[in-house]
Amino acid sequence: MNLEQISTFLTVYQSGSYKKAAELLYLPQPTVSHRINQLEKELGKSLLLRGKGKVKLTEEGKAFLPYARRILGAIKEGQEAVERVGEGATGKLSIGCNNSFAAYVLPNVMDSFTRDYPHVSIKVYTYASSELVRLMKNQHFQLGITRYTSNDSGMIYRPILSEHVMLLVSPEHRFAKRSSVKLEEILQEPILTYPKETQYRKMIDVTLNQFNLTYQAKLETNNLQLIKHFLKRNAGVFLSGRTYMMNEIKEKELVQVEIENNPFPLSQVFIAYRENELHSLDYLFIKHFEERINQRVKEDTLVGVFHATGTN
């Protein structure tokens, strides 16, 4: 068994015929047939069924298919690794995330990544969080950045960041000078929030329902920029992790306040990818993303401590 035989097997299967495979590989058709015959001889089983219409896989062929793909994928990764040693990272990367992440978190990561790896081309797709996993499974993009996991088989979620849900208010708000606020007090304020159909809103509502707590939404929108606008105008309060608010907190346009006896689950960020389909360039981005996000969080936390203590 050799790579030529495996590559020919995949080409015949994908093209649907020996004739088309020969054309794609620039080989005589007898050579294609010979390679398939040799592969089947070594495996001791038939892999392909010839007949009217497209060539089909036998049951043994279906079993062999994912391994054949994995072998060629590993070879491709090896070639990419060799290229990076001599020339730096090259290739194409496609990423999916929600609009808020793309607008307020990803730019900082992308600035440093594109600076360090100028020969990598990147596509960024933005979708609702509920759509990301479905599109990932359909191979619409390589990596997904999401705040939620699912039970879909074949999907891997790598945790990148975990943080507490905080209360975000304007510097002019009556809670801004306090170190913490009770949840019951918060819910008496005008609440700015995401729409009910979003997963983040569902998390908030499910948690409050467990304690028989209710609130009145002042503004519901999936546009984080609009929420920030009304927060800065002291028109309400917002419950969120601090990741999406780092710049505003750093510039003292917004203030984060702890929630006493905080009942909310941690707000998390995950990198999602399909099982056994993580390539070398994907690893490179994940590592860079993780390092940059955690570095940014650490820097902003220190800035917040310095501001709170009056240290210059």
Side-chain angles (χ1 to χ4, degrees), residues 240-297:
S240 172
R242 70 193 306 273
T243 297
Y244 293 92
M245 305 290 184
M246 286 181 180
N247 290 334
E248 288 76 14
I249 294 170
K250 185 176 181 180
E251 297 300 323
K252 300 183 180 180
E253 296 175 328
L254 294 176
V255 176
Q256 63 174 3
V257 184
E258 291 188 8
I259 302 169
E260 289 185 23
N261 300 314
N262 194 333
F264 298 107
L266 291 174
S267 176
Q268 296 181 285
V269 175
F270 301 89
I271 288 276
Y273 53 89
R274 294 179 296 276
E275 190 175 10
N276 300 322
E277 291 191 31
L278 199 61
H279 301 294
S280 53
L281 189 56
D282 303 338
Y283 278 113
L284 193 66
F285 180 81
I286 290 172
K287 181 180 178 182
H288 182 92
F289 178 86
E290 189 170 16
E291 290 175 350
R292 186 61 192 142
I293 285 291
N294 285 285
Q295 179 186 354
R296 177 82 184 279
V297 170

Side-chain angles (χ1 to χ4, degrees), residues 128-194:
S129 298
S130 58
E131 283 289 287
L132 288 175
V133 172
R134 183 182 67 81
L135 293 168
M136 277 284 299
K137 292 183 72 174
N138 291 337
Q139 301 185 349
H140 196 70
F141 41 79
Q142 294 161 251
L143 301 173
I145 302 173
T146 174
R147 291 191 291 184
Y148 312 100
T149 61
S150 71
N151 295 322
D152 293 86
S153 61
M155 293 295 297
I156 304 295
Y157 294 87
R158 176 168 173 166
I160 299 297
L161 176 68
S162 295
E163 58 185 1
H164 292 285
V165 172
M166 305 288 285
L167 173 67
L168 280 302
V169 299
S170 160
E172 284 76 42
H173 195 278
R174 65 190 183 97
F175 292 155
K177 302 298 182 182
R178 292 174 55 174
S179 59
S180 64
V181 183
K182 292 180 179 179
L183 188 56
E184 290 80 2
E185 291 183 86
I186 295 171
L187 299 181
Q188 297 303 311
E189 296 293 309
I191 303 294
L192 311 179
T193 184
Y194 292 116

Side-chain angles (χ1 to χ4, degrees), residues 179-240:
S179 59
S180 64
V181 183
K182 292 180 179 179
L183 188 56
E184 290 80 2
E185 291 183 86
I186 295 171
L187 299 181
Q188 297 303 311
E189 296 293 309
I191 303 294
L192 311 179
T193 184
Y194 292 116
K196 288 184 178 180
E197 63 270 16
T198 60
Q199 290 179 285
Y200 195 78
R201 172 71 177 276
K202 290 176 182 176
M203 179 275 290
I204 295 291
D205 289 352
V206 167
T207 302
L208 294 178
N209 287 339
Q210 292 174 354
F211 297 91
N212 296 316
L213 295 172
T214 61
Y215 64 95
Q216 185 66 43
K218 170 79 172 182
L219 169 73
E220 297 182 47
T221 176
N222 59 1
N223 188 307
L224 187 57
Q225 184 61 37
L226 193 57
I227 290 176
K228 290 185 178 185
H229 169 78
F230 282 102
L231 271 176
K232 293 175 185 178
R233 293 188 60 180
N234 199 19
V237 302
F238 184 53
L239 299 170
S240 172

